[in-house]
Amino acid sequence: MLLMLPYEAGTADCKAPLFTERGTANTGEYGSRCAKERDWPEVLAVLGASVPVSVAGGSLFTIGTVSRRMSAHGQAIRELDKMTNTPKD
């Protein structure tokens, strides 16, 4: 989000670093103020740190869902086996 939203640095209105007409968002009339307020390496470090956490969360969710469904399937198979193996009167 920090790369895509415009922001203010004191009295300067800064454009989003990702969507700018210039080469970088840190050039222009308020370039140095904007550069100090929101710099690319800091924003990309936050983004880079969030990726492994997101992957881990997605993996744990998938493992839990598959495990739950496999358990339900195994229970259904056991119940079917009980029904087929019971002697009829």
Side-chain angles (χ1 to χ4, degrees):
M1 291 300 281
L2 293 176
L3 291 173
M4 295 183 258
L5 296 175
Y7 59 99
E8 291 183 8
T11 58
D13 289 329
C14 304
K15 297 191 179 209
L18 196 58
F19 306 115
T20 166
E21 295 88 26
R22 298 182 301 270
T24 68
N26 299 335
T27 59
E29 185 180 347
Y30 300 112
S32 63
R33 280 192 224 157
C34 293
K36 289 177 186 174
E37 182 70 25
R38 191 175 292 178
D39 199 15
W40 278 89
E42 183 179 312
V43 173
L44 290 177
V46 170
L47 179 66
S50 69
V51 170
V53 175
S54 300
V55 170
S59 299
L60 288 172
F61 177 77
T62 302
I63 290 169
T65 302
V66 169
S67 175
R68 191 172 132 212
R69 287 187 179 199
M70 290 297 293
S71 178
H73 177 72
Q75 181 65 27
I77 295 295
R78 282 190 292 278
E79 288 181 21
L80 285 173
D81 281 345
K82 283 181 187 177
M83 289 169 40
T84 59
N85 291 336
T86 56
K88 294 184 179 180
D89 293 336

